[in-house]
Short mmCIF file of all heavy atoms in Angstrom, two decimals:
data_model
loop_
_atom_site.label_atom_id
_atom_site.label_comp_id
_atom_site.label_asym_id
_atom_site.label_seq_id
_atom_site.Cartn_x
_atom_site.Cartn_y
_atom_site.Cartn_z
N GLY A 1 0.84 -1.21 0.05
CA GLY A 1 0.00 0.02 0.00
C GLY A 1 0.82 1.26 0.03
O GLY A 1 2.04 1.19 -0.19
N HIS A 2 0.13 2.40 0.18
CA HIS A 2 0.83 3.71 0.30
C HIS A 2 0.28 4.32 1.52
O HIS A 2 -0.93 4.61 1.60
CB HIS A 2 0.48 4.56 -0.95
CG HIS A 2 0.90 3.95 -2.24
ND1 HIS A 2 2.31 3.64 -2.55
CD2 HIS A 2 0.20 3.46 -3.33
CE1 HIS A 2 2.32 3.06 -3.75
NE2 HIS A 2 1.07 2.97 -4.23
N ASN A 3 1.12 4.61 2.50
CA ASN A 3 0.68 5.06 3.81
C ASN A 3 0.43 6.59 3.82
O ASN A 3 1.38 7.37 3.79
CB ASN A 3 1.71 4.70 4.91
CG ASN A 3 1.19 4.72 6.30
OD1 ASN A 3 0.62 5.84 6.66
ND2 ASN A 3 1.30 3.66 6.97
N ALA A 4 -0.84 6.93 3.93
CA ALA A 4 -1.20 8.36 3.89
C ALA A 4 -0.77 9.06 5.22
O ALA A 4 -0.46 10.27 5.07
CB ALA A 4 -2.76 8.46 3.85
N MET A 5 -0.53 8.30 6.28
CA MET A 5 -0.12 8.94 7.50
C MET A 5 1.36 9.42 7.40
O MET A 5 1.78 10.44 7.88
CB MET A 5 -0.37 8.09 8.70
CG MET A 5 -0.27 8.81 10.11
SD MET A 5 -0.63 7.69 11.47
CE MET A 5 -2.31 7.29 11.07
N GLU A 6 2.15 8.52 6.77
CA GLU A 6 3.55 8.87 6.49
C GLU A 6 3.67 10.05 5.53
O GLU A 6 4.52 10.97 5.78
CB GLU A 6 4.24 7.69 5.91
CG GLU A 6 4.43 6.53 6.84
CD GLU A 6 5.26 5.33 6.27
OE1 GLU A 6 5.77 5.47 5.16
OE2 GLU A 6 5.34 4.29 6.99
N SER A 7 2.74 10.17 4.59
CA SER A 7 2.73 11.33 3.71
C SER A 7 2.38 12.63 4.52
O SER A 7 3.04 13.64 4.39
CB SER A 7 1.79 11.16 2.62
OG SER A 7 2.08 10.07 1.73
N MET A 8 1.46 12.46 5.44
CA MET A 8 0.99 13.56 6.32
C MET A 8 2.24 14.07 7.17
O MET A 8 2.30 15.23 7.47
CB MET A 8 -0.18 13.23 7.18
CG MET A 8 -0.77 14.38 7.89
SD MET A 8 -1.41 15.72 6.73
CE MET A 8 -3.03 14.95 6.33
N HIS A 9 3.06 13.15 7.61
CA HIS A 9 4.20 13.51 8.32
C HIS A 9 5.12 14.48 7.60
O HIS A 9 5.55 15.51 8.10
CB HIS A 9 4.98 12.23 8.76
CG HIS A 9 6.25 12.56 9.51
ND1 HIS A 9 7.52 12.72 8.91
CD2 HIS A 9 6.50 12.65 10.84
CE1 HIS A 9 8.39 13.00 9.79
NE2 HIS A 9 7.82 12.96 11.02
N ALA A 10 5.28 14.17 6.31
CA ALA A 10 6.04 15.05 5.50
C ALA A 10 5.34 16.39 5.21
O ALA A 10 5.99 17.44 5.21
CB ALA A 10 6.42 14.40 4.13
N VAL A 11 4.07 16.34 5.02
CA VAL A 11 3.28 17.57 4.86
C VAL A 11 3.32 18.46 6.19
O VAL A 11 3.51 19.64 5.97
CB VAL A 11 1.83 17.16 4.55
CG1 VAL A 11 0.85 18.33 4.71
CG2 VAL A 11 1.68 16.60 3.11
N LEU A 12 3.19 17.87 7.27
CA LEU A 12 3.28 18.63 8.52
C LEU A 12 4.64 19.32 8.63
O LEU A 12 4.73 20.49 9.04
CB LEU A 12 2.96 17.73 9.69
CG LEU A 12 2.93 18.42 11.06
CD1 LEU A 12 1.91 19.57 11.10
CD2 LEU A 12 2.66 17.37 12.17
N GLY A 13 5.71 18.59 8.28
CA GLY A 13 7.03 19.20 8.31
C GLY A 13 7.15 20.44 7.39
O GLY A 13 7.72 21.44 7.75
N GLU A 14 6.55 20.35 6.22
CA GLU A 14 6.58 21.42 5.26
C GLU A 14 5.68 22.55 5.69
O GLU A 14 6.08 23.76 5.59
CB GLU A 14 6.08 20.88 3.87
CG GLU A 14 6.22 21.97 2.79
CD GLU A 14 7.66 22.35 2.46
OE1 GLU A 14 8.53 21.52 2.75
OE2 GLU A 14 7.82 23.44 1.89
N LEU A 15 4.59 22.24 6.35
CA LEU A 15 3.71 23.25 6.87
C LEU A 15 4.39 24.14 7.99
O LEU A 15 4.29 25.32 7.96
CB LEU A 15 2.42 22.60 7.42
CG LEU A 15 1.20 23.45 7.60
CD1 LEU A 15 0.74 23.96 6.12
CD2 LEU A 15 0.10 22.60 8.14
N LEU A 16 5.11 23.42 8.86
CA LEU A 16 5.82 24.13 9.93
C LEU A 16 6.97 24.91 9.41
O LEU A 16 7.30 25.99 9.96
CB LEU A 16 6.26 23.08 10.98
CG LEU A 16 5.17 22.37 11.73
CD1 LEU A 16 5.79 21.40 12.77
CD2 LEU A 16 4.17 23.29 12.32
N LYS A 17 7.58 24.41 8.32
CA LYS A 17 8.61 25.19 7.70
C LYS A 17 8.05 26.45 7.03
O LYS A 17 8.66 27.59 7.18
CB LYS A 17 9.30 24.30 6.56
CG LYS A 17 10.48 25.03 5.80
CD LYS A 17 11.06 24.11 4.78
CE LYS A 17 12.06 24.81 3.92
NZ LYS A 17 12.59 23.98 2.78
N PHE A 18 6.89 26.31 6.41
CA PHE A 18 6.24 27.49 5.83
C PHE A 18 5.94 28.46 6.93
O PHE A 18 6.11 29.69 6.73
CB PHE A 18 4.96 27.02 5.14
CG PHE A 18 4.11 28.10 4.49
CD1 PHE A 18 4.60 28.84 3.36
CD2 PHE A 18 2.89 28.46 5.09
CE1 PHE A 18 3.79 29.82 2.77
CE2 PHE A 18 2.17 29.53 4.54
CZ PHE A 18 2.60 30.16 3.35
N ARG A 19 5.44 28.04 8.08
CA ARG A 19 5.15 28.87 9.17
C ARG A 19 6.36 29.72 9.59
O ARG A 19 6.28 30.88 9.80
CB ARG A 19 4.55 28.10 10.29
CG ARG A 19 4.19 29.02 11.58
CD ARG A 19 3.57 28.21 12.70
NE ARG A 19 4.56 27.27 13.29
CZ ARG A 19 4.19 26.41 14.28
NH1 ARG A 19 2.95 26.35 14.70
NH2 ARG A 19 5.06 25.60 14.85
N SER A 20 7.45 29.06 9.72
CA SER A 20 8.69 29.70 10.10
C SER A 20 9.12 30.78 9.12
O SER A 20 9.57 31.88 9.49
CB SER A 20 9.91 28.70 10.27
OG SER A 20 9.61 27.84 11.35
N GLU A 21 8.92 30.53 7.90
CA GLU A 21 9.29 31.42 6.87
C GLU A 21 8.46 32.70 6.81
O GLU A 21 8.99 33.85 6.67
CB GLU A 21 9.28 30.73 5.42
CG GLU A 21 10.28 29.68 5.24
CD GLU A 21 10.14 28.93 3.93
OE1 GLU A 21 9.26 29.34 3.12
OE2 GLU A 21 10.93 28.01 3.75
N ILE A 22 7.09 32.52 6.92
CA ILE A 22 6.26 33.70 6.89
C ILE A 22 6.43 34.48 8.24
O ILE A 22 6.27 35.76 8.20
CB ILE A 22 4.78 33.34 6.65
CG1 ILE A 22 4.22 32.45 7.78
CG2 ILE A 22 4.59 32.77 5.31
CD1 ILE A 22 2.73 32.21 7.60
N GLN A 23 6.75 33.83 9.37
CA GLN A 23 6.93 34.56 10.55
C GLN A 23 8.25 35.38 10.53
O GLN A 23 8.35 36.40 11.13
CB GLN A 23 6.91 33.62 11.73
CG GLN A 23 5.52 33.06 12.05
CD GLN A 23 5.48 32.19 13.22
OE1 GLN A 23 6.48 31.68 13.72
NE2 GLN A 23 4.26 31.96 13.85
N ALA A 24 9.27 34.90 9.76
CA ALA A 24 10.48 35.55 9.62
C ALA A 24 10.35 36.76 8.66
O ALA A 24 10.98 37.80 8.76
CB ALA A 24 11.60 34.65 9.07
N LYS A 25 9.34 36.63 7.70
CA LYS A 25 9.14 37.70 6.69
C LYS A 25 8.18 38.78 7.09
O LYS A 25 8.42 39.94 6.72
CB LYS A 25 8.68 37.01 5.40
CG LYS A 25 8.54 37.91 4.19
CD LYS A 25 8.14 37.15 2.99
CE LYS A 25 7.99 38.09 1.79
NZ LYS A 25 7.51 37.38 0.57
N TYR A 26 7.19 38.45 7.90
CA TYR A 26 6.15 39.40 8.22
C TYR A 26 6.07 39.67 9.71
O TYR A 26 6.04 38.69 10.53
CB TYR A 26 4.76 38.90 7.72
CG TYR A 26 4.66 38.73 6.23
CD1 TYR A 26 4.78 37.47 5.67
CD2 TYR A 26 4.42 39.82 5.43
CE1 TYR A 26 4.69 37.27 4.36
CE2 TYR A 26 4.34 39.65 4.06
CZ TYR A 26 4.46 38.41 3.49
OH TYR A 26 4.40 38.18 2.13
N SER A 27 5.92 40.92 10.09
CA SER A 27 5.77 41.35 11.52
C SER A 27 5.13 42.61 11.64
O SER A 27 5.27 43.52 10.82
CB SER A 27 7.11 41.29 12.20
OG SER A 27 7.06 41.63 13.56
N ASN A 28 4.30 42.71 12.59
CA ASN A 28 3.54 44.01 12.92
C ASN A 28 3.49 44.22 14.42
O ASN A 28 2.78 43.53 15.08
CB ASN A 28 2.17 43.95 12.27
CG ASN A 28 1.51 45.38 12.36
OD1 ASN A 28 1.59 46.10 13.29
ND2 ASN A 28 0.78 45.64 11.33
N THR A 29 4.26 45.12 14.94
CA THR A 29 4.32 45.34 16.42
C THR A 29 3.05 45.94 16.91
O THR A 29 2.93 46.06 18.19
CB THR A 29 5.48 46.25 16.71
OG1 THR A 29 5.37 47.49 16.04
CG2 THR A 29 6.84 45.57 16.32
N GLY A 30 2.08 46.31 16.13
CA GLY A 30 0.79 46.78 16.61
C GLY A 30 -0.01 45.68 17.18
O GLY A 30 -1.09 45.94 17.79
N PHE A 31 0.38 44.37 17.08
CA PHE A 31 -0.34 43.24 17.60
C PHE A 31 0.34 42.64 18.73
O PHE A 31 1.60 42.66 18.80
CB PHE A 31 -0.56 42.17 16.51
CG PHE A 31 -1.53 42.59 15.33
CD1 PHE A 31 -1.03 43.21 14.24
CD2 PHE A 31 -2.85 42.29 15.49
CE1 PHE A 31 -1.87 43.59 13.22
CE2 PHE A 31 -3.69 42.64 14.50
CZ PHE A 31 -3.28 43.32 13.36
N ALA A 32 -0.39 42.14 19.70
CA ALA A 32 0.16 41.52 20.85
C ALA A 32 1.07 40.27 20.49
O ALA A 32 2.08 40.10 21.00
CB ALA A 32 -0.89 40.99 21.83
N ILE A 33 0.61 39.62 19.48
CA ILE A 33 1.45 38.52 18.80
C ILE A 33 1.74 39.06 17.46
O ILE A 33 0.91 39.08 16.47
CB ILE A 33 0.65 37.23 18.74
CG1 ILE A 33 0.31 36.65 20.09
CG2 ILE A 33 1.45 36.16 17.98
CD1 ILE A 33 -0.62 35.53 20.14
N PRO A 34 2.97 39.54 17.22
CA PRO A 34 3.32 40.44 16.05
C PRO A 34 3.45 39.69 14.76
O PRO A 34 3.63 40.38 13.76
CB PRO A 34 4.56 41.07 16.47
CG PRO A 34 5.21 40.19 17.46
CD PRO A 34 4.10 39.50 18.19
#
């Protein structure tokens, strides 16, 4: 078979990488969580 959960593991890693990238690129000190 093809394990969808193993694929999701890779997807989750890419999603968290994307989060790090946009948080490094965008910031607004007018928000409590900038």
Side-chain angles (χ1 to χ4, degrees):
H2 303 297
N3 196 306
M5 198 176 299
E6 291 183 8
S7 297
M8 187 64 81
H9 178 268
V11 165
L12 183 56
E14 185 66 23
L15 203 61
L16 298 181
K17 180 181 176 183
F18 178 72
R19 180 175 70 183
S20 296
E21 291 175 6
I22 61 173
Q23 289 181 343
K25 184 176 180 180
Y26 298 99
S27 181
N28 188 323
T29 57
F31 289 90
I33 299 171

